[in-house]
Structures are given as C-alpha cells and as structure tokens.
Amino acid sequence: MAERTVAVLAGGLSHERDVSLRSGRRLSAALRSEGLHVEEWDTDASLLPRLRGQRPDAAIVALHGGEGENGSIQAVLEMLGVPFVGTGAHACRRAWDKPTAKAEIAEAGYATPDWVVLPHSTFRELGAQAMLDAIVECLGLPLILKPDQGGSALGTQVVRDAAELSTAMVGCFAYADAVLAERFIEGVEVAVTVVERDGELEALPPVEIVPENGVYDYTSRYTAGLTDFFAPARLSDETAAGVAELGISAHKLLGLRDISRTDAMIDSEGTVHFLEVNISPGLTETSTVPMAIEASGRTLGSIYSDLVEHVTKRG
C-alpha cells in the first residue's frame, strides 16, 4: 500500500465547503497513518491539470453538496479514467435528488414519510398562501421542509405551527429552487453506514442521534456538544436488523458503490422510515460514519485504505 498515491478531493464551492475541508483533512490523516501517500486537492481550475499531470492511483471524493454529490465530479473522473472511491456519476444523480430516492425506496416496499415536492415557480403562479394551506391539508402538522437537493441539513426546518410555514419555506428556498415537504416522524433517528468488503455489503452498527433541540439541523450536526450519539444505537435486535436491511437495500436499489450512509427514523411502533441517503458522507469529528466504523472495531484509515486497494483493482 505504501506506493499508492491517493488524491482526496475536498472543498469546492458549495454551501458545505467548510464541512468538506474538515472531512478531507481527517480522511487524509487517517490514510497517511496507513502508509499511503495522500494529496489534498481542491476542486477548482487546477484540478484537471493536476489529474492529468500528477495522476493518482485513486481519488476519494470528500466533497459535500453540489458537484461533489450530484455526479459532476464523478463524471469528470470517469471521463479521465481515474479510479475513485464512491458511487458512479449516474447513480449519484439519483441519490442526490431526495424525491427520486424516496420514490425508488417506496416503490420497493419500504416505508418513507409522505411527501410532496414543489418548485418556487408554483408558489408564484398559484399563490403562496393557497399552496401553504394545501400542503398542511395534505400532510398535516408537524412537517419538515428540506431543499429537494443538498446535504448537511442546510435549509431544513421543522414546522409545528401553520403560522411558521411561510417563513420556513422562504428559508428553505434560499438553498434550492424546489422544496420537499415531508410528514415529520417523531421517534428515534439513526444513521446506518454500508461498506462494500470483498464483494459483499456490510451494514456497520447504526448510530443513534439525539439532538439537544430535538431537530438534527446544521448546527446540531457540526457543533460539538449539541447532539448526543450512541454507537451502536439503543435498539432491539429486531429493529437493528431492520435498519441494516434498509441501508443495504437502499445501497443496492439506488446503484450505490463502495460506501454510503442512509438516514432513517424509527416511529413509536418500531417501523423504520427511510429519510435520505448520502453517497459522500461527512467524516468530521461529529459525523456518524467515523462513529459507526469505530463501533465496528475498525478505523477510518483501514476502511478507506481497503476501499482504495479495491478501486485500484477495479480500475
């Protein structure tokens, strides 16, 4: 492994640039501890010349949001023939769009909260208040608003009172041209990481997420001390098995590759509800993937160095 050169792609220009840089730094340090030569590259105008002139043995996309998760950077790597850890461009696009991912999971028979997705233009053309009233009539309260594309819970807000809906919708539209309004499930929130090992999919121990303010928003995700995590999650064996099955099924159904993280909510009756899937999960000090890896008895460096070895053989 010592002769391997790995390019960790982090940064970019999305709203999640800072989180991506933190993930990239932590991943790079973990890979160096495994004896790999690691280059940390931003995704700016220098990227293509670097990929051509300093071609790495493999790349790892540690970008969050935007081009790092919608398949754009993956398409560039595929065009240049650079092996990389992670999902291919086509499947990235399917997973990136939350309504598309939810629809595919629902069609496969898995539970996911009822939802409606509407573009900003519909509110302008049909009248904002009439549309807001229709959303509440359809989904009830409380509900959660999310940008239809994006990560790190940016723009995500829980609405418990109809009077709050208009302001929350405006805040959500700041991050996307369309909003996913979803019935809010009260329950236990978990994240399950799926890793490919020796051609098999393995669900790592699920991580239970307990935010101080009751909502796992951007601040709760990335501010130490505002969220309690339990790895493994405090679940019955049956429920934990259901969470693992959902994570592996989502990985398969959406055509994901190497590593993914599925977020889910478990309601009071024990039903596991799919929320969304992430193809470039965060690796910061407060991210759930490193917690899941540690709970499995392994290290971030060993998991990703194994994936690097795998993709160099895959080509």
Side-chain angles (χ1 to χ4, degrees):
M1 292 291 290
E3 70 277 9
R4 299 290 190 203
T5 296
V6 179
V8 173
L9 308 184
L13 295 177
S14 80
H15 294 294
E16 299 170 68
R17 174 179 173 81
D18 179 62
V19 178
S20 172
L21 289 171
R22 289 163 59 187
S23 289
R25 286 193 294 267
R26 186 175 187 189
L27 176 58
S28 296
L31 290 171
R32 290 184 182 115
S33 72
E34 295 292 320
L36 282 79
H37 176 72
V38 180
E39 301 277 351
E40 297 177 53
W41 295 349
D42 209 330
T43 52
D44 52 25
S46 68
L47 180 61
L48 265 66
R50 275 182 158 179
L51 287 171
R52 288 194 172 102
Q54 307 171 46
R55 183 185 176 88
D57 294 298
I60 301 178
V61 180
L63 297 158
H64 306 319
E67 295 182 350
E69 294 188 67
N70 66 14
S72 298
I73 291 297
Q74 290 80 0
V76 170
L77 295 171
E78 290 170 356
M79 286 192 299
L80 298 180
V82 177
F84 63 93
V85 172
T87 294
H90 179 69
C92 281
R93 285 187 285 273
R94 294 164 64 197
W96 170 248
D97 189 75
K98 293 183 179 72
T100 297
K102 280 173 63 73
E104 294 203 27
I105 297 301
E107 287 172 7
Y110 290 94
T112 187
D114 293 338
W115 80 96
V116 61
V117 59
L118 294 165
H120 193 205
S121 58
T122 301
F123 286 82
R124 291 197 306 267
E125 294 166 5
L126 302 185
Q129 190 57 55
M131 288 303 305
L132 295 175
D133 292 343
I135 289 171
V136 173
E137 183 179 347
C138 174
L139 298 176
L141 292 169
L143 55 81
I144 186 167
L145 303 181
K146 308 174 183 179
D148 66 327
Q149 300 175 339
S152 293
L154 285 166
T156 297
Q157 299 182 60
V158 173
V159 176
R160 300 182 184 278
D161 187 322
E164 304 168 353
L165 187 54
S166 178
T167 300
M169 190 69 71
V170 170
C172 201
F173 276 129
Y175 292 95
D177 291 329
V179 166
L180 171 69
E182 183 179 75
R183 184 168 61 86
F184 183 66
I185 303 291
E186 303 276 6
V188 177
E189 187 166 358
V190 294
V192 57
T193 300
V194 173
V195 178
E196 292 191 41
R197 290 169 56 85
D198 302 321
E200 300 292 331
L201 294 177
E202 176 187 357
L204 302 185
V207 177
E208 181 181 347
I209 300 161
V210 186
E212 186 178 86
N213 68 357
V215 180
Y216 194 40
D217 56 15
Y218 183 88
T219 302
S220 297
R221 286 170 187 252
Y222 299 114
T223 305
L226 293 187
T227 299
D228 291 326
F229 300 95
F230 298 89
R234 300 169 297 178
L235 305 174
S236 68
D237 291 345
E238 181 181 1
T239 302
V243 169
E245 180 191 356
L246 174 63
I248 289 173
S249 295
H251 192 98
K252 289 180 178 177
L253 288 166
L254 296 171
L256 310 186
R257 200 170 64 184
D258 298 333
I259 188 166
S260 68
R261 189 200 74 225
T262 291
D263 300 331
M265 188 72 77
I266 303 162
D267 67 19
S268 58
E269 297 180 353
T271 301
V272 182
H273 298 261
F274 172 87
L275 298 180
E276 59 187 78
V277 68
N278 192 299
I279 57 88
S280 182
L283 302 173
T284 71
E285 296 75 11
T286 58
S287 296
T288 58
V289 168
M291 297 178 196
I293 291 173
E294 183 177 353
S296 75
R298 281 160 285 181
T299 65
L300 186 65
S302 67
I303 289 287
Y304 273 88
S305 62
D306 285 349
L307 289 172
V308 166
E309 189 68 10
H310 173 66
V311 302
T312 57
K313 294 174 181 177
R314 180 172 68 203

